[in-house]
Amino acid sequence: MSNVAFITGITGQDGSYLAELLLEKGYEVHGLIRRSSNFNTGRIDHIFDRLHLHFGDLADGSSLARLLHRIKPSEVFNLGAQSHVRVSFDCPEYTVDIAAMGTLRLLEALRSSCPEARFYQASSSEMFGSALPPQSESTLFLPRSPYAVGKVAAFYLTQNYRDAYGIHGSNGILFNHESPRRGATFVTQKIVKGVVAHAHGKQDKLFLGNLAAKRDWGHARDYVRAMWMMVQHPTPDDYVVATGSTYTVQDFLDRVCNCYGLSSHKFVEIDPRLFRPTEVDLLLGNPAKIKHQLGWEPLYDLDNLITDMVNAEEKNYAS
């Protein structure tokens, strides 16, 4: 009998890649989707017929309990969140409720309905905030946004349920990871779409915020593989998932511009409204633990990632 997985956030970037990976491995894959007047399944349309999708919400604990009781998954991946850091300052209550309380509701549903299921919690490098790099599993969290604060609470809730109830719960502290499926409001995809549009004469200006911020960027395909590996390990634990290299937003921008022989100074403008009230200046992960214990290695570097994103965007301009 195949493994049964339940994924919150299945319509997102990570959820779609994780669903693909699990289907390839013979899983029966269930996903949580929120009711909306418009379909938001574009990232999973190509595998739609192979998935089992259920309406529910991380804000509604009773719906989670009913679903887990009926599905009885062997693995639960909690990827659902309001994940845009800048927006979390505009919607702090909602962001923290879904990130923190949503995780608690899901853990309670798991504990009562399928306590033997293995649990993965999507933690974030944003939890480190202003902590000095390189950041590892032993680095103190110093969150700098409502999103990060909610994720810190979810991290400790997962640890608490692991210790108190024997839940096989692991936290993946994922550093920035991108792909062609990244949402258009995130800076990497905004850069790719803006530069490609400018190269094709479709966009005059590209407005960005803090170009000096440094991030450790990987590919979402590599990072969902790390999620799966954590859940397969006999002992639950917490792992940093990162490439171990950091680049500024300006570096990312310049590398995309170099694909077209463009200079960013000629069409990129800084918009102060895009700066965060409290900035995270430098994120650089130390993935030594997951490499040593689980044998995980990233297959993509920054240039491979950018090539993948640019090639995907170019398809929108193919005649």
Side-chain angles (χ1 to χ4, degrees):
M1 184 176 181
S2 64
N3 287 326
V4 179
F6 179 74
I7 305 171
T8 71
I10 195 170
T11 60
Q13 170 189 252
D14 293 5
S16 65
Y17 282 120
L18 179 61
E20 282 181 353
L21 177 68
L22 296 179
L23 287 172
E24 290 170 4
K25 294 182 178 297
Y27 280 66
E28 177 181 307
V29 179
H30 295 255
L32 183 72
I33 58 172
R34 289 175 294 169
R35 178 67 177 90
S36 172
S37 58
N38 296 310
F39 285 111
N40 185 31
T41 58
R43 295 184 180 98
I44 56 172
D45 281 347
H46 63 297
I47 53 174
F48 191 88
D49 293 339
R50 301 171 63 193
L51 301 172
H52 304 268
L53 301 178
H54 309 270
F55 289 118
D57 201 301
L58 285 169
D60 182 1
S62 62
S63 69
L64 299 174
R66 286 195 301 271
L67 284 172
L68 293 193
H69 179 74
R70 185 166 77 248
I71 298 166
K72 287 291 191 295
S74 53
E75 297 174 13
V76 175
F77 296 85
N78 185 28
L79 312 185
Q82 189 300 102
S83 60
H84 197 288
V85 178
R86 178 60 189 84
V87 172
S88 76
F89 288 97
D90 300 322
C91 307
E93 183 177 344
Y94 173 76
T95 299
V96 174
D97 178 60
I98 297 303
M101 292 302 297
T103 302
L104 178 59
R105 295 178 190 114
L106 186 56
L107 283 165
E108 272 294 291
L110 183 149
R111 184 168 75 92
S112 62
S113 300
C114 50
E116 300 303 316
R118 296 189 174 192
F119 180 78
Y120 171 82
Q121 169 59 26
S123 295
S124 169
S125 61
E126 288 288 335
M127 302 189 307
F128 292 122
S130 55
L132 294 176
Q135 293 105 2
S136 70
E137 294 82 3
S138 61
T139 301
L140 180 68
F141 295 140
L142 295 172
R144 301 277 286 169
S145 67
Y147 170 76
V149 170
K151 284 293 188 180
V152 168
F155 176 92
Y156 285 124
L157 283 166
T158 300
Q159 283 192 339
N160 181 248
Y161 272 64
R162 185 169 72 207
D163 296 339
Y165 305 115
I167 298 296
H168 189 295
S170 296
N171 286 293
I173 309 173
L174 272 57
F175 279 65
N176 294 69
H177 48 290
E178 317 298 322
S179 76
R181 299 180 192 173
R182 177 54 104 179
T185 60
F186 288 81
V187 67
T188 51
Q189 189 71 293
K190 186 176 182 180
I191 288 171
V192 169
K193 286 184 174 293
V195 172
V196 175
H198 182 75
H200 284 272
K202 301 296 184 181
Q203 183 172 328
D204 292 331
K205 295 290 184 181
L206 173 59
F207 295 94
L208 297 172
N210 183 9
L211 299 183
K214 292 183 177 180
R215 295 293 184 267
D216 184 331
W217 278 299
H219 198 296
R221 284 192 185 276
D222 283 334
Y223 287 36
V224 300
R225 182 164 44 85
M227 298 175 190
W228 179 79
M229 294 173 75
M230 288 179 216
V231 173
Q232 307 318 303
H233 197 59
T235 305
D237 207 341
D238 309 316
Y239 299 92
V240 161
V241 184
T243 69
S245 299
T246 190
Y247 301 88
T248 64
V249 176
Q250 181 71 60
D251 290 332
F252 191 98
L253 172 62
D254 289 342
R255 287 169 187 246
V256 178
C257 286
N258 288 342
C259 296
Y260 297 93
L262 297 173
S263 172
S264 64
H265 302 293
K266 295 184 178 180
F267 67 100
V268 173
E269 293 188 8
I270 303 302
D271 185 346
R273 294 174 297 178
L274 299 177
F275 282 71
R276 302 176 187 178
T278 48
E279 185 58 82
V280 173
D281 297 317
L282 200 169
L283 292 175
L284 171 62
N286 177 1
K289 180 179 177 180
I290 192 171
K291 288 184 175 185
H292 175 70
Q293 291 190 6
L294 304 187
W296 176 84
E297 289 284 349
L299 302 179
Y300 289 80
D301 62 16
L302 184 62
D303 288 326
N304 299 144
L305 168 64
I306 288 173
T307 297
D308 194 25
M309 295 179 72
V310 169
N311 287 344
E313 184 62 22
E314 274 290 339
K315 293 179 181 178
N316 294 326
Y317 294 88
S319 57

